[in-house]
Structure formats: C-alpha cells, structure tokens
Amino acid sequence: MLIELKNFNVYYKSNSGSVHAVRDVNLDLLENTSYGVVGESGSGKTTLFMALLRLLSKDTTINGEVIYEGSDLMKLSEDEFRKYRWKDFSVVFQEAMNFLSPVHKIGKQLVSIYTANGPSKNKKEVKEEILKAFHKVNLVDTVYNMYPHELSGGMMQRVAIASSILLNPKLLVMDEATTALDIITEGQILDEIKELEESIKMTRVMITHDVSVVSSSAERVIVMYGGLILEEGRVDEVFVKPKHPYTKLLLESYPRMNDKEKYLKSIKGSLPDLKEAYKSCVFYNRCPYRMPYCKDHEPKLISHGDRKVACFLEEGVKDE
Ligand code: SF4
C-alpha cells in the first residue's frame, strides 16, 4: 500500500455556505499502480487529490487521515509537508505554460527544481539528470536551452512530465494533463508515460473526464460522484461489467467505435447540491434503478472481491 486515505473530507467556503466537496472518502492507493479517476465536473475528483497534495487554497478545510510510510501526513505543518513535494508526490496540470516562467530557459527552471528539492549534486550531474528525464519523454537535449514559448503544446507537456519525474516520485498525479492536446500527441504521451512506468516505479493517478484515456492507460479506475467514490476496481472489469448505475450511465454517455446507437445517451438531471447534507443515496434523483429504501439510507462503499461499490443493489436490497 502506498497511501491510505481515511475518512477524508474537504469543505470549501462559498458565499451561500460551506460546500462539502469530498465526503468521508476511504481509499487505498496501491504501490506501482496506475489509476484513472472519472466523474462529471464537480464530482470531487480534482479536489480529492489536490487536497491530498495540499494544493488547495488556505481557506479550505480538510480533515481525515492520510497514512504514508506509517505516518499521518495530515499532522504535518506546511513546511514539514513541503519536503515530500517533487520527491515523493508530484503533479502535472493541464496547462504546463502556467507552471513555467516565460522569461527563463527550460534547463534553468528545472535546475532550480532539482537543487531545491533533490540530493546534492554538482552542476554537470544535475544537467545529466535533467537530460535523462527529457529522454524518458522523448525530448531532445536542445530543449534544455530553449524558452517555453519556443515549444509546441505537446513538448511543453513533456517538459512538465519530465520535471515531475525528475526526483522519481512515488505518486504522480496528472490532472487533465493531456486534455488540451490533439488526439495524436495525447496518444503518444500516454504511450510514453506507460513506457516510463517500466523504468520508474510509481503510482500514477490520472484525473480526467475522458473514459477512453483511462481505458487505454490505467489499471484501475475510481468513479466519483457528489464528492464520493461510487465504484473502484480494475479497468478491464469495471468497464466491461460496471456494477454501479452511475458507472453504467457514465460509460454509455461516451462514444464507442462499434456503437450502433445513432445518438449518445446523456445522464438526465444534475449533480447534487453539495451544500446540503443528505441521508439518501447521493445518486437517488438520477438513478433509473432507485428503490424506496435508497431514499432514506446512504449506501457505503463495500468490497466485493477486488471491486468496491456503493449501491444497495450490490448489497442485495430488493424493491418493495
Ligand atoms: Fe440507485 Fe439505490 Fe443504487 Fe443509489 S443505492 S445507485 S439509488 S439503486
């Protein structure tokens, strides 16, 4: 096990009250495993992992436990947590341009990251480490002396990935990291990431709205809705035989090459109001299989072998 999240909650402040964006999540992230996290906008997928990495604004309230190497990271101060960034946990965002300064050469920026967070090495050794990271994502050495504006979107994203793996982190979170790229570049980068996982042992979490990215590049999938995990399991099992009604509908709302349907199905209704506390199933209002029992009870995420599902149907509850 790499990281264990226990009763993890995130609350945002809003003008109209507190938003309970992540609700009592329990999650075991395994070592050296690739995850895809899917769900509609507002499902809590980015919030969950940005809270774990302490990258949310200071007025966000986070509670629960994050167990890593036997310690609860939630007990650490900001300064104490900072030493885990880059070395243990790293992140790649959608817009690599925002992370790089436009006025400094790429090499200089990566040298700063390495020297501030990595082991002590001389200038030549640090450059060698950076070029090694470049090669892992198919970047040529000349990028070292280039400015960000001289790179294409795909090259920029490769620089972001190279910097994130520079110190061999144990957890890499990619937040919609390939979404802005054209489909060919996206495919190439996903292939490169899978290849580099053979040389770097790490757990990768890919947050995306695109289930095809998950099916082609992750071993396990986490399905989120209304701040909760509704289903978690192996991609080849969940995508072939989804157990939660939301997962089924989410998968049906994406196009497939061999689809005979002329039109895509949509999930009717809208996400729950996260300012409210609810005692029903979070998906009750939109669920085509709902039962009277689901209105007054909230299903827990329960293990069924290697799969976890939060639905009363899986618990054998029957319609009255
Ligand atoms: Fe639908 Fe009930 Fe299952 Fe919720 S618990 S997903 S309402 S069947």
Side-chain angles (χ1 to χ4, degrees), residues 86 99 108-118 163 166-167:
W86 300 101
F99 126 92
K108 187 177 177 194
Q109 299 191 50
L110 268 63
V111 167
S112 308
I113 293 172
Y114 196 98
T115 47
N117 302 283
S163 64
L166 205 48
L167 297 171

Side-chain angles (χ1 to χ4, degrees), residues 178-197:
T178 56
T179 304
L181 302 172
D182 65 81
I183 196 152
I184 300 203
T185 310
E186 180 179 46
Q188 286 169 346
I189 290 184
L190 291 176
D191 286 345
E192 286 160 14
I193 290 165
K194 279 190 280 178
E195 271 170 36
L196 80 87
E197 277 169 348

Side-chain angles (χ1 to χ4, degrees), residues 244-246 281-284 287 289-291 294 299 310-313:
H244 197 285
Y246 178 66
C281 168
V282 67
F283 193 51
Y284 180 80
C287 180
Y289 309 97
R290 66 185 173 206
M291 305 170 279
C294 312
C311 174
F312 290 126
L313 289 172

Side-chain angles (χ1 to χ4, degrees), residues 3 24-25 36 38 43 45 47 51 89 92 99 120 126 128 154 171 198 221 231 260 267 285-288 298 303 319:
I3 294 175
D24 223 22
V25 161
V38 292
S43 60
K45 53 191 193 304
T47 301
F89 313 135
V92 183
F99 126 92
S120 171
V126 172
E128 278 168 10
L171 172 69
E198 283 164 23
V221 60
E231 185 157 6
K260 292 197 174 55
I267 308 177
N285 287 333
R286 302 170 81 185
C287 180
E298 193 181 357
S303 294
D319 209 347

Side-chain angles (χ1 to χ4, degrees), residues 31-51:
E31 279 181 335
N32 308 329
T33 305
S34 51
Y35 290 85
V37 190
V38 292
E40 289 160 273
S41 302
S43 60
K45 53 191 193 304
T46 295
T47 301
L48 172 63
F49 286 94
M50 293 307 119

